[in-house]
Amino acid sequence: MHKSLLPLLLFVFLSTQSLAQSSFRVSSPDRAIQVTVQNTPTGEVTYQIRYKGKPVIQPSSLGFMLQRPQVTLNRFTIAGADSSRTDETWKPVWGEVSQIRNNYQELGVRLLDKAGSGIAMLVRFRVFNDGVGFRYEFPEQTALTHFIVADERTQFAFAADHTTFWQPGDYDSNEYLYNTTRLTEVNAIAAAAKEKDIALQSLIGPNAVQTPLLLKTADGLYISLYEAALLNYPVMHLQLDKAKLTLTSQLTPDAVGNKAYLQTPAHTPWRTILVSDKATDLPASKLILNLNAPSTIADPSWIKPQKFVGMWWEMHVGKATWERAGGKHGANTQNVKKYIDFAAKYGFDGVLVEGWNVGWEDWFGNWKEDVFDFVTPYPDYDLHSLTAYAQQKGVRLIMHHETSGSVTNYERRMDAAFQYMQKQGMNTVKTGYVGRIIPRGEHHDSQWMVNHYQRVAEKAAQYRIMIDSHESAHPTGLHRTYPNWMASEAARGSEFNNAPTLGITPEHTTLLPFTRMLGGPMDFTPGLFRFRLNQFDSTRTTRVRTTLAKQLALYVTLYSPLQMAADLPENYERHLDAFQFIRDVPVDWDDTKVIAAEPGDYILTARKGKGTANWYVGAITDENSRDLPLPLDFLEPGKTYEATIYRDGPNADWDTNPEAYVIEKRSVTAKTKLTLRLAKGGGCAIQFIRR
Amino acid sequence: MHKSLLPLLLFVFLSTQSLAQSSFRVSSPDRAIQVTVQNTPTGEVTYQIRYKGKPVIQPSSLGFMLQRPQVTLNRFTIAGADSSRTDETWKPVWGEVSQIRNNYQELGVRLLDKAGSGIAMLVRFRVFNDGVGFRYEFPEQTALTHFIVADERTQFAFAADHTTFWQPGDYDSNEYLYNTTRLTEVNAIAAAAKEKDIALQSLIGPNAVQTPLLLKTADGLYISLYEAALLNYPVMHLQLDKAKLTLTSQLTPDAVGNKAYLQTPAHTPWRTILVSDKATDLPASKLILNLNAPSTIADPSWIKPQKFVGMWWEMHVGKATWERAGGKHGANTQNVKKYIDFAAKYGFDGVLVEGWNVGWEDWFGNWKEDVFDFVTPYPDYDLHSLTAYAQQKGVRLIMHHETSGSVTNYERRMDAAFQYMQKQGMNTVKTGYVGRIIPRGEHHDSQWMVNHYQRVAEKAAQYRIMIDSHESAHPTGLHRTYPNWMASEAARGSEFNNAPTLGITPEHTTLLPFTRMLGGPMDFTPGLFRFRLNQFDSTRTTRVRTTLAKQLALYVTLYSPLQMAADLPENYERHLDAFQFIRDVPVDWDDTKVIAAEPGDYILTARKGKGTANWYVGAITDENSRDLPLPLDFLEPGKTYEATIYRDGPNADWDTNPEAYVIEKRSVTAKTKLTLRLAKGGGCAIQFIRR
């Protein structure tokens, strides 16, 4: 990385005396975004953000309450400021694009506690063309060594009562549907009360919402509040003051109510504000990735994007169980062999096996510490012979480490568990954190757990193991730093199609790219080909609320380097022509273009397969049918492509006719203009192969 | 073990209809102790204990409150009862005696919740000649699988306002002085307020006291309330109801206020009541050991009692520091070499090295998680060369694992730490838990920590490592089950001689054998030969409040298979004649006789060295001088012994003349009667070598 201290040409000070200065302004490289930091006469330090002259964040205060030393840090004198300019390009190990530009103007404002504690801080702003990141830094100093954060008091004040896409603030679950209301209409408790299928709720209060929080202003701005590089700090939720239209950081507490234990030099994660007048800029933004540190893995050659299958959905639809007791154990040798055969036949890399290990009989809901040991298969699961069988077929088994929330137990056994994987030739693990956390009193979102997820990423890397974490805290771009942490769930995923109450609404997947997925890849597990889930239990009324074509499109619209084909082999074999798209679609890309999008309505994304000339398009809609124009100008000019279009059939409808699809082939060029007709709850997936 | 179901000859039922029975009585093998269990008309179940007709425990109720399922278990119907008789003898791996008789009458009373939960329980009593143990058992049953204990409601009601020797109830520290008052005069908060030198206090309330609790009745009974086999359960403290003269179990809560997480089949530790009209019976009792499970270590040949030295006291008296910063780092290569030389010269097995590893600069008081890694020596400590040097001298280095209370960190690193020890040829570790526990919100005495200590014992055994734990929960005889868990501190040890406020009173060590030491060996670290602690810091006023002879006697009166010679080599070299006793005294014994004792006043103990014909006597007194008759009838009749007597000098006095001692030799036989004259705060140590 090069980082140059430029003369302050791009940088306008409102005052010329740098030490007595009370106001600083910094702009994005393209000048569209302007951040102003002010020191009020009482000592408050505020920042505000404007985008093309429009208000994004009104003057909002910054500050902290410490529990030890017992100090409130909200009145400051400004000790000085530094600025710098960075414009660099870096290559991710894998991703949506092959290279990423990191282009920002930086401003660091040095603060001194006005109340006399002697504590010095710094607020560092990075202003990109698509948003702003800022964080607090606590330099090494005699006035502050070890300290305990009682509260962070970062405000985000809005100019109007914006439309807001929000989840209830919850310290343990981010698997809610999104609610769309005005800011003043937020009621997290009422929204959460409707969510009967979330196993563990730790609600914060009626006015608390999660980050990422998406807002849309009446004058056409899309704004996202989130965080980047969440390490050694708790997850930030937000408390809403409806009268002031202001959100304040609400950190996740630990067992005794403290928020974070830090030692100088220390810093918070980045608080991020994405803003644009084009909805498509948000899912395309690399701001959060850019605010994360570069990869810590010197040789990432062992890290491979992959597609996998597994009998996980059998458990959800009642064909099989995780536990052995009851006679329907899914992870038995013969069934796994069937999946290995299926994976080998259709070119999948891996087979995920859940329920393979002793402990599932009482794994859930008991707050039990010693649930699983991660190395003892059920007696009907012959891992050793299956490992050999899979290897011979060119397939790898994917490990499953469900912790049951008992993280102390997992941490004690992690080395042995990873060694066991190595011995079995396994290089990918799906981790799970279902249920109340042990250490008891900690939350999925508390600092201790954030540190745990980091420890898992680091230890797994030592063993050259890739991670797909479920029920972990929301991702904040850490896959840049830990590229073996391939994906996480951390949102309502496809399993909720089988949840009896709210399920997954048709709009849910049109919101994910603007919210959860800003932080990183999601193991959503798309690819369901059977829509009424009463196949093995005729009493079930749960159902998948998409068309089949939309299930295909999700492989493009929901980015992940780990993609599951989630349905049962027998369901795929009924639609092998459509299944072909899942077989073909890449999981690593050289380029991505979000062509059209409106949060909660639709998204249309095109991606170019890694190391190929071929493009793939996914388009999805909410409960409304719609026509989306698709200009093909992303294709290489002058070349001909064979397009294979997987689209909704003429009478397709998620509700009445989800399985109706049409597959057609045609030749196209960059000049071709397609119009994609999406059914209600429908979608379209296209493969473009360059001739 | 043989365990026979005898006809109920020794066993008296008050009623003859076993199912409708409402009262059961069971007696000790010698009939001195009688336990009566009654089911009152309202469903309460009470027990009472009498000793030779005198009341020990008045009718006291039994019961539980569960948090999940939410059930109060305090009204029962009796479903039946079983009885059995055990009389067996077993050999400890090491100990005060070479074999132990386990002789008791057992009664199991099966209870059914009267409130209709369907929950079945059992209270199992074992009545020994020197006391009673009882525990609750929860059999496997459909009405109860996983459950959370909100409270245990075990009562101990007394007939009178007995003299009581108590420590303030505290979930994190058992390093208090004992207070001697009537039950009704207990004030734990006031007592704790005087204790300025305890780093971390987590007091329970004014009427809460710790176990073991010692009482003395006006009619001459000595009673101890304690617990045995504390596994998977929190430490039991006691809440006093002064009006009713009743103590009720007060379990240590976890971070969220729960007490224990259990799964049927489950049981509590044993609640123990020792009782005798002879004070000497309490320290001699093997009841607590007998209530623990046999050793889990099949081949204990690697477990060796040992004596050791180390520079630990240098840190206390200000000669050196644990941390490297500051220029007085104790654990430097040259200093440790000096200790190895000293150990080799005088025949010690080990050298304890504290402050050897990176991290001490900010180890205390910050509630910091990643303090030590247990494998990184300070750069001035060349462990590798010292290992070789020690080996060549026939000495072993003893490892020190101070966790700083950060137990999650230790558990993550324990395997690596033990492997590192193995590589360095070390087989003994002193563990430490100074400071607030992580997982935050847990206490030293909570179930999670109790499970941790067990995990350490088990893992250490896998690596053939012996443990000496400091700041761990009070010992409850687990050294029978885990004989590699040699000793623990878990009380005010010799280090408090350097504590400026209360220090160690002359009576403290005369109480330990009746209290703390009932649970197991203590690493008290006796052997201080310098009494004013201003050797390296002339401003210090702290001092050791014993005579030199008493320091020697402690090696006999305070049993431990790990005994430290705690003082500095230069202090020993001033008194090499007296030091000879420390060199000679064994740390493993074939036999032990407590010859005379009064809690808080004096104790006189004789022990026979393991595998030898030689005896050792220790006698200590409190702040009063006294003459203790010592009949030598424990010696083999008809044999002559050379007695080497280390006694207080004529004008010895802990306050004015602590270093005055006399060493004399004389021939004695079993018929000889000695009188030991103990100075104020003095003692006497004698070696008897059979000719």
Side-chain angles (χ1 to χ4, degrees):
Chain A
M1 184 202 278
H2 82 93
K3 196 163 171 184
S4 55
L5 276 172
L6 293 185
L8 303 181
L9 295 176
L10 291 168
F11 198 77
V12 184
F13 283 118
L14 296 187
S15 152
T16 50
Q17 293 164 278
S18 87
L19 277 176
Q21 208 173 312
S22 66
S23 183
F24 302 84
R25 186 176 295 162
V26 56
S27 298
S28 58
D30 68 358
R31 304 294 182 110
I33 298 178
Q34 215 170 50
V35 177
T36 307
V37 178
Q38 280 201 282
N39 195 197
T40 70
T42 61
E44 218 183 340
V45 170
T46 67
Y47 73 101
Q48 67 175 304
I49 302 176
R50 298 179 77 81
Y51 174 81
K52 296 182 182 173
K54 293 176 181 174
V56 178
I57 302 288
Q58 297 289 84
S60 297
S61 59
L62 302 170
F64 273 88
M65 291 180 67
L66 304 189
Q67 193 270 334
R68 210 198 54 211
Q70 206 142 1
V71 178
T72 299
L73 297 170
N74 63 359
R75 296 290 184 273
F76 304 96
T77 53
I78 292 187
D82 301 297
S83 71
S84 67
R85 177 86 175 79
T86 293
D87 188 358
E88 61 179 9
T89 297
W90 59 279
K91 290 178 194 294
V93 174
W94 44 260
E96 298 176 88
V97 294
S98 61
Q99 56 179 27
I100 292 172
R101 185 173 175 193
N102 184 24
N103 180 23
Y104 62 83
Q105 178 69 38
E106 178 167 307
L107 168 68
V109 183
R110 297 194 301 278
L111 308 177
L112 243 170
D113 176 26
K114 206 169 182 169
S117 69
I119 294 173
M121 292 169 55
L122 185 141
V123 189
R124 186 182 303 281
F125 290 87
R126 288 187 181 167
V127 187
F128 300 79
N129 290 339
D130 56 357
V132 178
F134 66 91
R135 71 178 186 188
Y136 301 88
E137 300 181 4
F138 299 89
E140 212 167 346
Q141 55 192 296
T142 49
L144 195 67
T145 52
H146 298 275
F147 62 109
I148 300 176
V149 175
D151 259 313
E152 181 186 324
R153 291 285 170 83
T154 300
Q155 294 193 337
F156 306 88
F158 291 104
D161 191 9
H162 303 319
T163 298
T164 310
F165 305 80
W166 56 274
Q167 285 184 323
D170 187 310
Y171 297 136
D172 279 300
S173 178
N174 40 34
E175 300 195 7
Y176 291 89
L177 284 179
Y178 295 95
N179 299 272
T180 308
T181 70
R182 297 279 171 178
L183 269 174
T184 53
E185 293 161 358
V186 164
N187 187 335
I189 300 297
K194 292 182 213 146
E195 298 273 15
K196 308 286 187 207
D197 302 313
I198 292 175
L200 173 61
Q201 291 187 340
S202 298
L203 296 165
I204 303 166
N207 294 326
V209 294
Q210 306 217 10
T211 58
L213 185 73
L214 176 68
L215 304 102
K216 186 178 175 184
T217 72
D219 53 359
L221 297 190
Y222 299 87
I223 302 170
S224 165
L225 305 186
Y226 200 25
E227 58 183 330
L230 173 62
L231 290 172
N232 195 29
Y233 207 77
V235 163
M236 180 178 75
H237 296 270
L238 296 169
Q239 275 285 1
L240 171 62
D241 180 332
K242 290 180 181 174
K244 296 183 178 160
L245 300 174
T246 295
L247 293 146
T248 304
S249 52
Q250 169 74 46
L251 303 181
T252 304
D254 76 350
V256 299
N258 291 327
K259 305 299 166 45
Y261 302 79
L262 299 174
Q263 178 175 2
T264 56
H267 57 76
T268 67
W270 295 93
R271 281 64 188 92
T272 62
I273 301 102
L274 296 182
V275 57
S276 181
D277 48 15
K278 293 206 296 290
T280 52
D281 281 351
L282 266 61
S285 173
K286 295 291 168 279
L287 181 147
I288 284 170
L289 263 184
N290 277 323
L291 288 172
N292 278 269
S295 172
T296 55
I297 298 174
D299 169 16
S301 60
W302 50 276
I303 300 173
K304 304 279 188 207
Q306 50 189 295
K307 276 184 287 190
F308 63 101
V309 295
M311 85 289 293
W312 164 86
W313 193 238
E314 289 190 13
M315 281 83 149
H316 280 280
V317 296
K319 183 181 182 188
T321 57
W322 281 271
E323 71 276 13
R324 186 158 185 241
K328 293 204 295 180
H329 185 217
N332 64 74
T333 305
Q334 192 170 337
N335 197 30
V336 173
K337 216 164 184 174
K338 193 184 88 181
Y339 276 87
I340 292 170
D341 290 341
F342 183 80
K345 182 170 180 187
Y346 295 109
F348 287 82
D349 306 289
V351 174
L352 169 67
V353 185
E354 298 203 4
W356 69 277
N357 55 332
V358 168
W360 289 90
E361 277 64 23
D362 64 351
W363 74 288
F364 178 69
N366 301 312
W367 227 358
K368 179 178 173 178
E369 180 143 10
D370 291 312
V371 181
F372 298 109
D373 71 3
F374 311 101
V375 297
T376 307
Y378 276 119
D380 62 343
Y381 180 60
D382 183 353
L383 177 53
H384 193 70
S385 81
L386 286 167
T387 296
Y389 187 73
Q391 193 178 9
Q392 165 204 328
K393 292 261 183 174
V395 171
R396 281 204 205 236
L397 295 174
I398 294 178
M399 179 46 92
H400 186 223
H401 288 170
E402 174 54 55
T403 65
S404 186
S406 178
V407 182
T408 44
N409 177 53
Y410 188 43
E411 291 205 339
R412 285 191 291 270
R413 298 174 185 277
M414 208 152 48
D415 270 297
F418 287 162
Q419 283 159 15
Y420 182 78
M421 281 180 63
Q422 274 190 328
K423 218 177 91 187
Q424 300 294 341
M426 297 159 100
N427 65 357
T428 307
V429 60
K430 174 178 171 178
T431 60
Y433 299 92
V434 174
R436 299 181 82 175
I437 295 297
I438 306 177
R440 297 188 182 95
E442 298 287 347
H443 295 288
H444 287 73
D445 285 356
S446 58
Q447 182 194 28
W448 196 91
M449 283 300 292
V450 166
N451 286 337
H452 165 74
Y453 307 127
Q454 182 185 1
R455 284 191 287 267
V456 174
E458 288 173 347
K459 191 171 282 292
Q462 287 165 22
Y463 290 95
R464 299 195 154 205
I465 285 172
M466 292 172 271
I467 299 161
D468 168 18
S469 63
H470 280 231
E471 300 88 25
S472 46
H474 59 210
T476 58
L478 289 167
H479 53 296
R480 179 178 180 190
T481 310
Y482 304 105
N484 64 318
W485 190 356
M486 309 289 279
S488 59
E489 185 186 41
R492 175 162 296 201
S494 185
E495 64 184 354
F496 272 83
N497 282 304
N498 187 46
T501 314
L502 298 179
I504 295 190
T505 57
E507 78 161 10
H508 181 64
T509 45
T510 72
L511 277 168
L512 286 172
F514 300 91
T515 52
R516 152 70 180 80
M517 303 204 66
L518 297 175
M522 178 174 176
D523 185 25
F524 181 82
T525 67
L528 299 180
F529 274 20
R530 186 168 179 121
F531 299 86
R532 301 219 172 248
L533 301 177
N534 56 0
Q535 195 171 1
F536 302 97
D537 173 359
S538 60
T539 66
R540 293 203 189 193
T541 56
T542 52
R543 57 175 302 189
V544 181
R545 287 185 272 174
T546 72
T547 65
L548 191 148
K550 182 172 175 178
Q551 288 289 324
L552 300 181
L554 292 174
Y555 286 88
V556 182
T557 60
L558 297 180
Y559 169 67
S560 180
L562 283 180
Q563 287 282 28
M564 187 178 199
D567 214 331
L568 314 185
E570 51 265 47
N571 292 338
Y572 287 133
E573 277 161 352
R574 290 168 59 223
H575 302 286
L576 281 176
D577 54 352
F579 187 54
Q580 187 62 41
F581 183 81
I582 301 178
R583 298 176 61 191
D584 291 340
V585 66
V587 279
D588 200 8
W589 308 96
D590 271 338
D591 202 4
T592 288
K593 293 183 188 301
V594 183
I595 292 168
E598 180 61 28
D601 292 346
Y602 62 90
I603 185 165
L604 196 176
T605 305
R607 304 190 196 267
K608 183 161 169 281
K610 189 84 167 182
T612 77
N614 306 325
W615 284 78
Y616 291 78
V617 157
I620 60 169
T621 181
D622 60 2
E623 67 282 6
N624 301 306
S625 66
R626 68 184 80 236
D627 292 342
L628 291 180
L630 174 61
L632 300 184
D633 49 7
F634 54 84
L635 297 177
E636 196 180 336
K639 301 287 184 186
T640 302
Y641 292 76
E642 180 180 80
T644 306
I645 301 171
Y646 301 77
R647 63 175 171 83
D648 292 324
N651 303 313
D653 181 310
W654 74 264
D655 188 18
T656 58
N657 194 16
E659 292 187 24
Y661 60 89
V662 172
I663 303 173
E664 57 188 359
K665 286 185 193 280
R666 53 180 289 194
S667 278
V668 298
T669 70
K671 293 185 178 161
T672 310
K673 290 189 198 314
L674 300 178
T675 296
L676 310 184
R677 159 141 295 201
L678 311 183
K680 291 177 178 180
C684 180
I686 314 179
Q687 178 192 49
F688 297 93
I689 303 290
R690 201 180 72 184
R691 288 278 157 236
Chain B
M1 184 201 278
H2 82 93
K3 197 166 172 181
S4 56
L5 275 173
L6 292 185
L8 303 181
L9 294 178
L10 291 168
F11 197 78
V12 183
F13 283 117
L14 295 187
S15 152
T16 51
Q17 292 165 281
S18 88
L19 277 175
Q21 208 172 313
S22 65
S23 184
F24 303 85
R25 187 175 297 162
V26 56
S27 297
S28 58
D30 68 358
R31 304 294 182 110
I33 299 179
Q34 212 171 51
V35 177
T36 307
V37 178
Q38 279 201 282
N39 194 196
T40 71
T42 61
E44 218 182 342
V45 171
T46 65
Y47 73 101
Q48 66 176 307
I49 303 176
R50 298 178 80 81
Y51 175 82
K52 297 183 181 171
K54 294 178 181 174
V56 179
I57 302 289
Q58 296 291 83
S60 296
S61 59
L62 302 169
F64 273 89
M65 292 180 67
L66 304 189
Q67 194 270 334
R68 208 197 55 211
Q70 206 142 1
V71 178
T72 299
L73 297 169
N74 63 358
R75 295 290 183 274
F76 305 96
T77 53
I78 292 187
D82 301 297
S83 70
S84 68
R85 178 87 174 77
T86 295
D87 188 358
E88 62 180 8
T89 298
W90 59 278
K91 289 178 194 295
V93 174
W94 44 259
E96 299 176 88
V97 292
S98 61
Q99 55 179 26
I100 292 173
R101 184 172 176 194
N102 183 25
N103 179 24
Y104 61 85
Q105 178 69 37
E106 178 167 307
L107 168 69
V109 183
R110 297 194 301 277
L111 308 177
L112 242 170
D113 176 25
K114 205 168 183 169
S117 70
I119 294 172
M121 292 168 57
L122 187 141
V123 189
R124 186 182 303 280
F125 290 86
R126 289 188 180 166
V127 187
F128 300 78
N129 290 341
D130 57 356
V132 178
F134 67 90
R135 71 179 186 188
Y136 301 88
E137 299 181 4
F138 298 89
E140 210 166 349
Q141 55 191 295
T142 50
L144 195 67
T145 50
H146 297 274
F147 62 109
I148 300 176
V149 176
D151 259 312
E152 181 187 323
R153 292 284 170 82
T154 300
Q155 294 193 337
F156 305 89
F158 290 104
D161 191 9
H162 303 320
T163 298
T164 310
F165 306 80
W166 57 272
Q167 286 185 321
D170 187 312
Y171 296 136
D172 279 299
S173 177
N174 40 34
E175 300 195 7
Y176 291 89
L177 284 179
Y178 295 94
N179 299 272
T180 308
T181 70
R182 296 277 171 180
L183 270 173
T184 54
E185 293 161 358
V186 164
N187 187 335
I189 300 297
K194 292 182 213 146
E195 297 273 16
K196 308 288 188 206
D197 302 314
I198 292 175
L200 172 62
Q201 291 188 340
S202 297
L203 295 165
I204 302 166
N207 294 326
V209 294
Q210 307 216 9
T211 58
L213 186 72
L214 176 68
L215 304 102
K216 186 178 174 184
T217 72
D219 52 0
L221 297 190
Y222 299 87
I223 302 170
S224 165
L225 304 186
Y226 199 24
E227 58 183 330
L230 172 63
L231 291 172
N232 195 29
Y233 207 78
V235 162
M236 181 177 75
H237 296 271
L238 296 168
Q239 274 285 2
L240 170 63
D241 180 331
K242 290 180 183 174
K244 297 183 178 159
L245 301 175
T246 296
L247 293 147
T248 304
S249 52
Q250 169 74 45
L251 303 180
T252 305
D254 77 348
V256 299
N258 292 327
K259 305 297 166 45
Y261 302 80
L262 299 174
Q263 178 176 0
T264 56
H267 58 76
T268 66
W270 295 93
R271 280 65 190 89
T272 62
I273 301 102
L274 296 182
V275 57
S276 182
D277 48 15
K278 293 207 295 291
T280 52
D281 281 350
L282 265 62
S285 173
K286 295 291 169 278
L287 182 148
I288 284 170
L289 263 183
N290 277 323
L291 289 171
N292 278 268
S295 172
T296 56
I297 298 175
D299 169 15
S301 59
W302 50 275
I303 301 173
K304 304 278 188 207
Q306 50 189 293
K307 277 184 284 188
F308 63 101
V309 296
M311 85 288 293
W312 164 87
W313 193 239
E314 290 190 13
M315 281 82 148
H316 280 279
V317 295
K319 182 180 183 187
T321 58
W322 282 271
E323 71 275 12
R324 186 158 185 242
K328 294 203 294 178
H329 185 217
N332 65 74
T333 305
Q334 194 170 337
N335 197 30
V336 173
K337 216 165 183 171
K338 192 184 88 182
Y339 276 87
I340 293 171
D341 290 340
F342 182 80
K345 182 170 178 186
Y346 295 108
F348 287 82
D349 306 289
V351 174
L352 169 66
V353 185
E354 298 203 5
W356 67 278
N357 56 331
V358 167
W360 289 91
E361 277 63 25
D362 64 352
W363 74 288
F364 178 69
N366 301 311
W367 227 357
K368 180 179 173 177
E369 181 145 9
D370 292 311
V371 180
F372 297 108
D373 72 2
F374 311 100
V375 296
T376 308
Y378 277 118
D380 61 342
Y381 180 60
D382 183 354
L383 178 53
H384 192 70
S385 81
L386 286 168
T387 295
Y389 186 74
Q391 194 179 7
Q392 166 203 326
K393 292 260 183 175
V395 171
R396 281 203 205 238
L397 295 173
I398 294 179
M399 179 47 91
H400 186 222
H401 287 171
E402 174 55 55
T403 65
S404 187
S406 178
V407 182
T408 44
N409 177 53
Y410 188 43
E411 290 207 339
R412 284 191 292 270
R413 299 174 186 276
M414 209 152 47
D415 269 298
F418 287 163
Q419 283 159 15
Y420 182 77
M421 280 180 64
Q422 273 191 328
K423 218 178 91 187
Q424 300 294 341
M426 295 159 100
N427 65 357
T428 306
V429 60
K430 174 178 172 179
T431 60
Y433 299 92
V434 174
R436 298 182 82 175
I437 295 297
I438 304 177
R440 296 186 183 96
E442 298 287 347
H443 295 288
H444 287 73
D445 284 356
S446 58
Q447 183 194 27
W448 197 91
M449 283 300 292
V450 167
N451 286 336
H452 165 75
Y453 307 127
Q454 182 185 0
R455 284 191 287 267
V456 174
E458 289 174 346
K459 192 172 280 296
Q462 287 165 22
Y463 290 95
R464 300 196 153 207
I465 285 171
M466 291 171 272
I467 299 160
D468 168 17
S469 63
H470 280 232
E471 299 87 26
S472 46
H474 60 210
T476 59
L478 289 167
H479 53 295
R480 178 178 181 189
T481 311
Y482 304 106
N484 64 318
W485 190 356
M486 309 289 279
S488 58
E489 186 186 39
R492 175 162 298 203
S494 185
E495 64 185 352
F496 273 82
N497 281 304
N498 187 45
T501 313
L502 298 180
I504 294 191
T505 57
E507 77 161 10
H508 181 63
T509 44
T510 72
L511 277 167
L512 286 173
F514 300 91
T515 53
R516 152 70 180 80
M517 303 204 67
L518 296 176
M522 177 174 177
D523 185 25
F524 181 83
T525 66
L528 298 180
F529 274 20
R530 187 168 177 121
F531 300 85
R532 303 224 171 245
L533 302 177
N534 56 359
Q535 194 171 3
F536 302 98
D537 173 358
S538 60
T539 67
R540 294 203 189 192
T541 56
T542 53
R543 58 175 302 190
V544 181
R545 287 185 270 173
T546 72
T547 64
L548 192 147
K550 181 171 176 179
Q551 289 289 322
L552 300 181
L554 293 174
Y555 286 88
V556 182
T557 60
L558 298 179
Y559 169 67
S560 179
L562 282 181
Q563 287 282 28
M564 187 177 199
D567 213 332
L568 314 186
E570 52 265 46
N571 293 338
Y572 286 132
E573 278 160 353
R574 292 168 59 223
H575 302 288
L576 282 176
D577 54 353
F579 186 54
Q580 187 63 41
F581 184 81
I582 301 178
R583 296 177 61 192
D584 290 340
V585 67
V587 280
D588 200 8
W589 308 96
D590 271 339
D591 201 5
T592 288
K593 295 185 188 300
V594 183
I595 293 168
E598 180 60 30
D601 292 346
Y602 63 89
I603 185 166
L604 196 175
T605 305
R607 304 189 196 268
K608 181 159 169 282
K610 189 86 168 179
T612 76
N614 305 325
W615 285 79
Y616 291 78
V617 157
I620 60 169
T621 182
D622 60 3
E623 68 282 5
N624 301 307
S625 65
R626 68 183 80 234
D627 292 340
L628 292 179
L630 174 61
L632 299 184
D633 48 7
F634 53 86
L635 297 177
E636 196 180 336
K639 301 286 181 185
T640 303
Y641 292 77
E642 180 180 79
T644 307
I645 302 170
Y646 300 77
R647 62 174 172 84
D648 291 323
N651 303 312
D653 182 311
W654 73 265
D655 188 18
T656 58
N657 193 17
E659 291 186 26
Y661 60 89
V662 172
I663 303 173
E664 56 188 0
K665 288 185 193 280
R666 54 180 288 194
S667 279
V668 299
T669 69
K671 292 184 177 161
T672 310
K673 290 189 199 315
L674 300 179
T675 296
L676 309 184
R677 160 143 295 200
L678 311 181
K680 291 178 179 178
C684 180
I686 314 178
Q687 178 191 49
F688 298 92
I689 303 289
R690 200 180 73 185
R691 286 279 158 233

